[in-house]
């Protein structure tokens, strides 16, 4: 399968714990995005990478959230000191730099439940 | 600034009857518009896209949408619903940010139920 891969698919954690999600984009896609989707809502933008550079961050990305893309390939999203309000689906998407329409290719998401 | 309004949070149709999912948008730019579908516990799959070419856009699984600039609408239609169409559908408007990326704004989604 050459699509966007996300791990883990599901994570249940207790409030206050740290969690990390990983995203492997489609090979050679230099753009990578993280979105958050809560129940009954559409996805909301969190952050954007072009290669290894984090170029945009939403105000939704509080200080407890950090994202990296160290070699311009896979990316990680870490949430520290999780809160119940962090419970959501975290979606990763990628696109090639040659595509100038905004079309994104999404992974299946990582669902976080904070107890 | 841009925004998307999906006019129905839930649409229910009988199998074999037409589907209409409504979407209105606003954008400061000439936007690109998309419809994505999300099946339960799955990621988002692109159904179709409008990128300033033909205003009637055909997508996968028999879906199509018509871009109407005067009405700022991009409604999704299908002549005959199938049980497998039951899912959540998102209308999306996209515009470049100037930082080499695109800002995608999603509607809140329309849940489509198909009755046998």
């Amino acid at each position: 399968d050459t699509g966007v891969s996300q791990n883990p698919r599901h994570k249940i954690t207790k409030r206050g714990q740290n969690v990390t999600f990983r995203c492997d984009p489609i090979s050679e896609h230099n753009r990578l995005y993280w979105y958050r989707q809560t129940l009954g809502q559409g996805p909301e933008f969190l952050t954007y990478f072009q290669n290894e550079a984090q170029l945009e961050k939403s105000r939704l990305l509080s200080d407890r959230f950090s994202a990296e893309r160290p070699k311009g390939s896979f990316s990680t999203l870490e949430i520290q000191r999780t809160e119940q309000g962090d419970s959501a689906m975290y979606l990763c998407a990628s696109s090639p730099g040659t595509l100038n329409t905004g079309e994104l290719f999404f992974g299946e998401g990582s669902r976080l439940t904070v107890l | 600034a841009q925004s998307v309004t999906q006019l129905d949070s839930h649409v229910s149709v009988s199998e074999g009857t037409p589907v209409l999912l409504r979407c209105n948008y606003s954008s400061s730019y000439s936007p690109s518009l998309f419809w994505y579908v999300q099946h339960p516990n799955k990621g988002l799959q692109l159904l179709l896209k409008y990128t300033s070419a033909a205003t009637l856009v055909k997508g996968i699984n028999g879906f199509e949408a018509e871009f109407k600039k005067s009405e700022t609408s991009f409604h999704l239609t299908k002549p005959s619903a199938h049980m497998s169409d039951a899912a959540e559908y998102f209308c999306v408007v996209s515009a470049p940010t100037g930082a080499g990326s695109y800002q995608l704004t999603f509607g809140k989604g329309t849940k489509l139920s198909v009755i046998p």
Side-chain angles (χ1 to χ4, degrees):
Chain A
D1 191 317
T2 57
V4 177
S5 176
Q6 293 189 244
N7 288 288
R9 295 289 314 281
H10 304 275
K11 178 72 176 178
I12 300 174
T13 191
K14 293 183 179 179
R15 185 165 51 95
Q17 298 294 305
N18 299 342
V19 297
T20 299
F21 301 113
R22 175 179 169 125
C23 171
D24 288 272
I26 294 172
S27 178
E28 297 180 358
H29 279 193
N30 63 337
R31 296 173 179 158
L32 187 146
Y33 301 76
W34 285 98
Y35 282 79
R36 182 174 70 184
Q37 185 179 19
T38 53
L39 203 61
Q41 300 294 319
E44 295 174 295
F45 170 75
L46 290 179
T47 190
Y48 162 69
F49 289 85
Q50 185 167 303
N51 300 311
E52 67 275 9
Q54 188 175 21
L55 296 184
E56 293 186 16
K57 288 168 49 172
S58 162
R59 57 182 169 79
L60 294 175
L61 212 67
S62 75
D63 291 345
R64 296 183 297 105
F65 288 69
S66 63
E68 293 183 343
R69 194 182 183 196
K71 296 184 179 179
S73 56
F74 74 91
S75 176
T76 57
L77 177 68
E78 180 183 16
I79 309 173
Q80 296 182 326
R81 304 181 304 281
T82 52
E83 302 173 355
Q84 288 186 327
D86 297 331
S87 295
M89 176 79 87
Y90 291 86
L91 295 165
C92 178
S94 69
S95 73
T98 53
L99 194 60
N100 296 317
T101 62
E103 177 183 349
L104 301 185
F105 298 81
F106 283 87
E108 294 198 332
S110 293
R111 182 172 295 281
L112 173 64
T113 302
V114 182
L115 302 176
Chain B
Q2 55 191 26
S3 65
V4 177
T5 302
Q6 291 186 242
L7 295 155
D8 306 291
S9 59
H10 192 188
V11 169
S12 184
V13 301
S14 297
E15 190 176 18
T17 64
V19 175
L20 170 64
L21 305 183
R22 298 181 295 166
C23 172
N24 287 109
Y25 72 92
S26 70
S27 177
S28 304
Y29 305 93
S30 296
S32 295
L33 293 159
F34 306 87
W35 277 97
Y36 281 87
V37 61
Q38 186 175 35
H39 288 91
N41 298 314
K42 295 289 187 181
L44 292 150
Q45 180 185 17
L46 181 68
L47 269 182
L48 49 80
K49 60 183 176 183
Y50 166 77
T51 58
S52 77
T55 57
L56 182 62
V57 181
K58 294 187 184 299
I60 62 171
N61 301 333
F63 284 94
E64 57 183 45
E66 186 171 7
F67 173 70
K68 292 187 177 180
K69 187 175 181 179
S70 61
E71 298 177 10
T72 61
S73 70
F74 190 57
H75 302 333
L76 181 71
T77 60
K78 182 174 180 177
S80 176
H82 191 273
M83 293 299 295
S84 61
D85 295 329
E88 186 134 28
Y89 292 78
F90 293 94
C91 182
V92 184
V93 61
S94 170
T97 65
S101 74
Y102 288 81
Q103 179 181 1
L104 269 62
T105 302
F106 285 76
K108 292 189 174 182
T110 299
K111 184 175 181 180
L112 176 65
S113 298
V114 182
I115 303 166

Coordinates of all heavy atoms in Angstrom, one line a residue, chain A residues 9 31 33 35 37 40-43 48 50 55-56 91 99-104 106-108 111, chain B residues 32 34 36 38 41-44 46 49 51 90 94 97 99-104 106-109:
Chain A
R9 N -3.4 3.5 15.2 CA -4.7 3.9 14.7 C -5.6 4.3 15.9 O -6.5 5.1 15.7 CB -5.4 2.7 14.0 CG -4.7 2.3 12.7 CD -4.9 3.4 11.6 NE -6.3 3.8 11.5 CZ -7.2 3.1 10.9 NH1 -7.0 2.0 10.3 NH2 -8.5 3.6 10.9
R31 N 5.0 18.0 0.9 CA 4.1 18.7 1.8 C 3.4 17.7 2.7 O 2.9 16.7 2.3 CB 3.0 19.5 1.0 CG 3.6 20.6 0.1 CD 2.5 21.1 -0.8 NE 3.0 22.2 -1.7 CZ 2.4 22.6 -2.8 NH1 1.3 22.0 -3.2 NH2 2.9 23.5 -3.5
Y33 N 0.7 17.7 6.2 CA -0.2 18.4 7.1 C -0.7 17.5 8.2 O -0.9 16.3 8.0 CB -1.5 18.8 6.2 CG -1.2 19.7 5.0 CD1 -0.7 19.2 3.9 CD2 -1.5 21.1 5.1 CE1 -0.5 20.0 2.7 CE2 -1.3 21.9 3.9 CZ -0.8 21.3 2.8 OH -0.6 22.1 1.7
Y35 N -4.1 17.5 10.8 CA -5.5 18.0 11.1 C -6.0 17.3 12.3 O -5.6 16.2 12.6 CB -6.4 17.8 9.9 CG -6.2 18.8 8.7 CD1 -5.2 18.6 7.8 CD2 -7.1 19.8 8.5 CE1 -5.0 19.4 6.7 CE2 -6.9 20.7 7.5 CZ -5.9 20.5 6.6 OH -5.7 21.3 5.5
Q37 N -9.8 16.3 14.0 CA -11.2 16.2 13.8 C -11.9 15.7 15.1 O -11.7 14.6 15.5 CB -11.5 15.2 12.6 CG -13.0 15.2 12.3 CD -13.2 14.2 11.1 OE1 -12.4 13.3 10.8 NE2 -14.4 14.4 10.4
G40 N -18.5 15.2 15.1 CA -19.5 16.1 14.5 C -19.0 17.3 13.8 O -19.7 18.2 13.4
Q41 N -17.7 17.4 13.7 CA -17.0 18.5 13.0 C -16.2 18.1 11.9 O -15.7 16.9 11.8 CB -16.1 19.3 14.0 CG -16.9 19.8 15.3 CD -17.9 20.9 14.9 OE1 -17.6 21.8 14.1 NE2 -19.0 20.8 15.5
G42 N -15.9 19.0 11.0 CA -14.9 18.8 9.9 C -13.5 18.9 10.5 O -13.3 19.5 11.5
P43 N -12.6 18.4 9.7 CA -11.2 18.5 10.2 C -10.7 20.0 10.3 O -11.1 20.8 9.5 CB -10.4 17.8 9.1 CG -11.4 16.8 8.5 CD -12.7 17.5 8.6
Y48 N 1.7 22.5 9.2 CA 2.1 22.2 7.8 C 3.6 22.2 7.7 O 4.3 23.1 8.3 CB 1.5 23.3 6.8 CG 2.2 23.3 5.5 CD1 2.1 22.3 4.6 CD2 3.0 24.4 5.1 CE1 2.7 22.3 3.4 CE2 3.7 24.5 3.9 CZ 3.5 23.4 3.0 OH 4.2 23.5 1.8
Q50 N 6.8 21.7 4.9 CA 7.3 21.6 3.5 C 8.7 21.0 3.7 O 9.6 21.7 4.2 CB 7.4 22.9 2.8 CG 7.8 22.8 1.3 CD 7.6 24.1 0.5 OE1 6.4 24.6 0.5 NE2 8.6 24.6 0.0
L55 N 6.3 25.2 8.4 CA 6.1 26.6 7.9 C 4.8 27.3 8.5 O 4.7 28.5 8.5 CB 6.0 26.6 6.4 CG 7.3 26.2 5.7 CD1 7.1 26.3 4.2 CD2 8.5 27.0 6.1
E56 N 3.9 26.5 8.9 CA 2.6 27.1 9.4 C 2.1 26.3 10.6 O 2.2 25.0 10.7 CB 1.5 27.1 8.4 CG 1.8 28.0 7.2 CD 0.7 28.1 6.2 OE1 -0.4 27.7 6.6 OE2 0.9 28.5 5.1
L91 N -5.5 13.5 11.9 CA -5.4 13.1 10.5 C -4.1 13.7 10.0 O -3.8 14.9 10.2 CB -6.6 13.6 9.7 CG -7.9 13.0 10.0 CD1 -9.0 13.8 9.4 CD2 -8.0 11.6 9.5
L99 N 1.6 19.7 -7.3 CA 0.2 19.8 -7.3 C -0.3 21.2 -6.7 O -0.2 21.4 -5.5 CB -0.5 18.7 -6.5 CG -2.0 18.4 -6.7 CD1 -2.2 18.1 -8.2 CD2 -2.4 17.2 -5.8
N100 N -0.8 22.0 -7.6 CA -1.1 23.4 -7.1 C -2.6 23.6 -7.0 O -3.1 24.6 -7.5 CB -0.5 24.4 -8.1 CG 1.0 24.3 -8.0 OD1 1.6 24.2 -7.0 ND2 1.7 24.3 -9.2
T101 N -3.3 22.7 -6.4 CA -4.7 22.9 -6.2 C -5.2 22.7 -4.8 O -6.3 23.1 -4.5 CB -5.5 21.8 -7.0 OG1 -5.2 20.5 -6.5 CG2 -5.2 21.9 -8.5
G102 N -4.3 22.3 -4.0 CA -4.7 22.1 -2.6 C -5.3 20.7 -2.3 O -5.7 20.4 -1.2
E103 N -5.3 19.8 -3.3 CA -5.8 18.5 -3.1 C -4.8 17.7 -2.2 O -3.6 17.8 -2.4 CB -5.8 17.7 -4.4 CG -6.3 16.3 -4.3 CD -6.3 15.5 -5.6 OE1 -6.1 16.2 -6.6 OE2 -6.4 14.3 -5.6
L104 N -5.4 17.1 -1.1 CA -4.5 16.4 -0.2 C -4.9 14.9 -0.2 O -6.1 14.6 -0.5 CB -4.8 17.0 1.2 CG -4.4 18.4 1.5 CD1 -4.6 18.8 2.9 CD2 -3.0 18.8 1.0
F106 N -5.2 11.9 2.3 CA -5.3 11.7 3.8 C -5.0 10.2 4.2 O -5.3 9.3 3.5 CB -6.7 12.0 4.3 CG -7.0 13.5 4.4 CD1 -7.4 14.2 3.3 CD2 -6.8 14.1 5.6 CE1 -7.6 15.5 3.3 CE2 -7.0 15.5 5.7 CZ -7.4 16.2 4.6
G107 N -4.4 10.1 5.4 CA -4.3 8.8 6.0 C -5.6 8.5 6.7 O -6.6 9.2 6.7
E108 N -5.7 7.3 7.4 CA -6.9 6.9 8.0 C -7.1 7.4 9.4 O -8.1 7.2 10.1 CB -7.0 5.3 8.0 CG -7.1 4.7 6.6 CD -7.6 3.3 6.7 OE1 -7.4 2.6 7.7 OE2 -8.2 2.9 5.6
R111 N -7.0 7.8 16.3 CA -8.0 8.3 17.2 C -7.4 8.2 18.6 O -7.0 7.2 19.1 CB -9.2 7.4 17.1 CG -10.4 7.8 18.0 CD -11.7 7.1 17.8 NE -12.2 7.3 16.5 CZ -12.9 8.4 16.2 NH1 -13.0 9.4 17.0 NH2 -13.4 8.5 14.9
Chain B
S32 N -10.3 26.6 -5.2 CA -10.5 25.3 -5.6 C -11.5 24.7 -4.6 O -11.5 25.0 -3.4 CB -9.2 24.5 -5.6 OG -8.3 25.0 -6.5
F34 N -13.6 21.0 -3.3 CA -13.5 19.6 -3.3 C -14.7 19.0 -2.5 O -15.3 19.7 -1.6 CB -12.2 19.1 -2.5 CG -10.9 19.7 -3.0 CD1 -10.5 20.9 -2.6 CD2 -10.2 19.0 -4.0 CE1 -9.3 21.5 -3.1 CE2 -9.0 19.6 -4.5 CZ -8.6 20.8 -4.0
Y36 N -15.0 15.5 -0.2 CA -14.4 14.3 0.3 C -15.4 13.5 1.0 O -16.4 14.0 1.6 CB -13.3 14.7 1.4 CG -12.0 15.2 0.8 CD1 -11.8 16.5 0.5 CD2 -10.9 14.3 0.7 CE1 -10.6 16.9 0.0 CE2 -9.7 14.7 0.2 CZ -9.5 16.0 -0.1 OH -8.3 16.5 -0.6
Q38 N -16.0 10.3 3.9 CA -15.4 9.6 5.0 C -16.3 8.5 5.5 O -17.4 8.8 6.0 CB -15.1 10.6 6.2 CG -14.3 10.0 7.3 CD -13.9 11.0 8.4 OE1 -14.7 11.9 8.6 NE2 -12.7 10.8 8.9
N41 N -14.7 5.3 10.7 CA -13.4 4.9 11.1 C -12.4 4.8 10.0 O -11.4 4.0 10.1 CB -13.4 3.5 11.9 CG -14.2 3.6 13.1 OD1 -14.1 4.6 13.9 ND2 -15.1 2.7 13.3
K42 N -12.6 5.6 9.0 CA -11.7 5.6 7.8 C -11.2 7.0 7.6 O -11.8 8.0 8.1 CB -12.4 5.1 6.6 CG -12.8 3.6 6.6 CD -11.6 2.7 6.5 CE -12.0 1.3 6.4 NZ -10.8 0.4 6.4
G43 N -10.2 7.2 6.8 CA -9.7 8.5 6.4 C -10.6 9.1 5.3 O -11.6 8.6 4.9
L44 N -10.2 10.3 4.9 CA -11.0 11.0 3.9 C -10.5 10.6 2.5 O -9.3 10.6 2.2 CB -10.7 12.5 4.1 CG -11.3 13.1 5.4 CD1 -10.5 14.2 5.9 CD2 -12.8 13.5 5.2
L46 N -11.0 11.5 -1.6 CA -11.4 12.6 -2.5 C -12.4 12.0 -3.5 O -12.2 11.0 -4.1 CB -10.2 13.1 -3.3 CG -10.5 14.2 -4.3 CD1 -10.9 15.5 -3.6 CD2 -9.3 14.4 -5.2
K49 N -13.1 17.2 -7.6 CA -12.5 18.5 -7.4 C -12.8 19.5 -8.5 O -12.9 19.1 -9.7 CB -11.0 18.4 -7.2 CG -10.3 17.8 -8.4 CD -8.8 17.6 -8.2 CE -8.1 17.0 -9.3 NZ -6.6 16.7 -9.1
T51 N -11.2 22.9 -10.2 CA -10.0 23.8 -10.1 C -10.0 24.8 -11.3 O -9.0 25.0 -11.9 CB -8.8 22.9 -10.2 OG1 -8.8 22.1 -11.4 CG2 -8.6 22.0 -9.0
F90 N -17.8 15.8 3.1 CA -17.3 17.1 3.5 C -17.1 17.9 2.2 O -16.4 17.5 1.3 CB -16.0 17.0 4.3 CG -16.2 16.4 5.6 CD1 -16.0 15.0 5.8 CD2 -16.6 17.2 6.7 CE1 -16.2 14.4 7.1 CE2 -16.7 16.6 8.0 CZ -16.5 15.2 8.2
S94 N -10.4 25.6 -0.9 CA -8.9 25.6 -0.7 C -8.4 26.9 -1.4 O -8.9 27.3 -2.4 CB -8.3 24.4 -1.4 OG -6.9 24.6 -1.5
T97 N -1.8 29.9 0.6 CA -1.5 30.7 1.8 C -0.3 31.7 1.6 O -0.1 32.6 2.3 CB -1.1 29.8 3.0 OG1 0.1 29.1 2.7 CG2 -2.2 28.8 3.3
A99 N 2.7 30.7 1.7 CA 3.8 30.0 2.4 C 4.1 28.7 1.7 O 4.8 27.8 2.3 CB 3.6 29.8 3.9
G100 N 3.6 28.5 0.5 CA 3.8 27.3 -0.3 C 2.8 26.2 0.1 O 3.0 25.1 -0.4
S101 N 1.8 26.5 0.9 CA 0.8 25.5 1.2 C -0.5 26.1 0.8 O -0.7 27.1 0.3 CB 0.9 25.2 2.7 OG 0.3 26.3 3.5
Y102 N -1.5 25.3 1.1 CA -2.9 25.6 0.8 C -3.7 25.5 2.1 O -3.5 24.6 2.9 CB -3.5 24.7 -0.2 CG -2.9 24.9 -1.6 CD1 -1.7 24.4 -1.9 CD2 -3.6 25.7 -2.5 CE1 -1.2 24.6 -3.2 CE2 -3.1 25.9 -3.7 CZ -1.8 25.4 -4.1 OH -1.3 25.7 -5.3
Q103 N -4.5 26.5 2.3 CA -5.4 26.5 3.5 C -6.7 25.8 3.1 O -7.4 26.3 2.2 CB -5.7 27.9 4.0 CG -6.7 27.9 5.2 CD -7.0 29.3 5.7 OE1 -6.5 30.3 5.1 NE2 -7.7 29.5 6.7
L104 N -7.0 24.7 3.7 CA -8.2 24.0 3.4 C -9.2 24.3 4.5 O -8.9 24.1 5.7 CB -8.0 22.5 3.3 CG -7.7 21.9 1.9 CD1 -6.5 22.5 1.4 CD2 -7.6 20.4 2.0
F106 N -12.9 23.1 5.9 CA -13.9 22.1 5.7 C -15.2 22.6 6.2 O -15.3 23.3 7.2 CB -13.5 20.9 6.6 CG -12.4 20.0 6.0 CD1 -11.1 20.5 6.0 CD2 -12.6 18.8 5.4 CE1 -10.0 19.7 5.5 CE2 -11.6 18.1 4.8 CZ -10.3 18.5 4.9
G107 N -16.3 22.1 5.6 CA -17.6 22.2 6.2 C -17.8 21.3 7.3 O -16.9 20.4 7.6
K108 N -18.9 21.3 8.0 CA -19.1 20.5 9.2 C -19.5 19.1 8.8 O -19.6 18.2 9.7 CB -20.1 21.1 10.1 CG -19.6 22.4 10.8 CD -20.6 22.9 11.9 CE -20.0 24.0 12.6 NZ -20.8 24.5 13.8
G109 N -19.8 18.9 7.6 CA -20.1 17.5 7.1 C -21.6 17.3 7.0 O -22.4 17.9 7.7

